[in-house]
Amino acid sequence: MAIIETEATLHEAHRDNHTHRDVNGGWLRPAVFGAMDGLVSNLALMTGVAGGAVSQQTVVLTGLAGLAAGAFSMAAGEYTSVASQRELVEAELDVERRELRKHPKDEEAELAALYQARGVEPELAREVARQLSRDPEQALEIHAREELGIDPSDLPSPTVAAVSSFGSFALGALLPVLPYLLGASSLWPAVLLALLGLFLCGAVVAKVTARTWWYSGLRQLALGGAAAGVTYALGTLFGTAVG
C-alpha cells in the first residue's frame, strides 16, 4: 500500500513539475518591449535636446512631443502590420476553404499523407483523415494548422495590437517626462527614473527568457544608458556648432 502511495505521489509531482513557459511571450513580451521602446527613444530624445543647452520648457515639450509622436506612430504601424498579416491569412484560408469544397477527397488524402509522413500507419492515417474531414470547419482548422501553422479561431486583432502598442509605448515614454511635470528643474531626476524603469523592464523580460532577472535588468539599463549618453554628447556637439 505504501509503495502504491509513493508511486502515486511521484507521478503527481512529475505531472506538476512538467510545465513550460510561454515561448511566444504572450501579452507580456509586446507590452514590455513597447514600454522599453518608449523609454529608450524618449530618454535619448530628451537628453539629446538637453545636451544642446536649451531651456527646461523646451526639454519638456520635446519629451511630450516625442511621447505623442512615438505612441501614434507605434499604434499606426502595429495596426497596419497586423491588419495586413490578418488579411493575408484570411486570403489563404479562403483558398483552403475552396479546395475543401471542390476537391474534398484530394484534401483528405493530403491530410492522410501528412500523418503518414509523421509516422502514423497508412490505414490509421487514412481513417483519422476521413473522420476529421467530416466536418468542413474542423477540416479547415486542421489544414490551416498543419499547412499554414495558424489557428483560424485565434487571429490577432489589429485594434487590440494598436491600442496595446500605443498604451505601452506612451507609458514608457512618460517616465523621463514625469519628473519635470512634478516640478524637477534638471535632467538628472528624469534620467535616473528612466534608467530605473529600464532596469525593471529588463528584469520583467527575464520571465520570457532563460536569463536571470538581474542580468536582463542590467543589460537593458546599460543599453538605454549608452543611448542616452551618446545622444547627449551629440546634442552638446551640435548645440555648440549651431551656437
Side-chain angles (χ1 to χ4, degrees), residues 95-114:
V95 171
E96 194 64 36
R97 191 176 285 110
R98 286 196 301 270
E99 289 298 312
L100 285 168
R101 186 172 61 252
K102 293 179 180 178
H103 309 290
K105 290 300 181 182
D106 292 341
E107 292 296 309
E108 182 180 319
E110 183 180 329
L111 191 60
L114 190 149

Side-chain angles (χ1 to χ4, degrees), residues 39-153:
L39 257 171
V40 173
S41 61
N42 216 29
L43 174 62
L45 178 64
M46 291 175 64
T47 53
V49 171
V54 298
S55 66
Q56 175 184 335
Q57 183 181 17
T58 301
V59 176
V60 175
L61 289 175
T62 299
L64 293 175
L67 185 158
F72 280 113
S73 176
M74 283 285 291
E78 195 70 15
Y79 183 91
T80 302
S81 174
V82 173
S84 299
Q85 180 186 14
R86 185 180 180 115
E87 289 164 2
L88 175 60
V89 169
E90 289 174 343
E92 292 300 313
L93 288 175
D94 287 339
V95 171
E96 194 64 36
R97 191 176 285 110
R98 286 196 301 270
E99 289 298 312
L100 285 168
R101 186 172 61 252
K102 293 179 180 178
H103 309 290
K105 290 300 181 182
D106 292 341
E107 292 296 309
E108 182 180 319
E110 183 180 329
L111 191 60
L114 190 149
Y115 289 141
Q116 289 182 50
R118 294 187 175 181
V120 180
E121 295 181 0
E123 184 177 349
L124 179 59
R126 287 192 294 271
E127 178 60 21
V128 170
R130 185 188 67 80
Q131 293 189 29
L132 292 176
S133 299
R134 288 183 297 191
D135 182 355
E137 288 303 315
Q138 178 177 257
L140 175 64
E141 181 175 338
I142 293 171
H143 279 275
R145 287 177 182 272
E146 299 292 348
E147 297 176 27
L148 303 176
I150 59 173
D151 183 356
S153 63

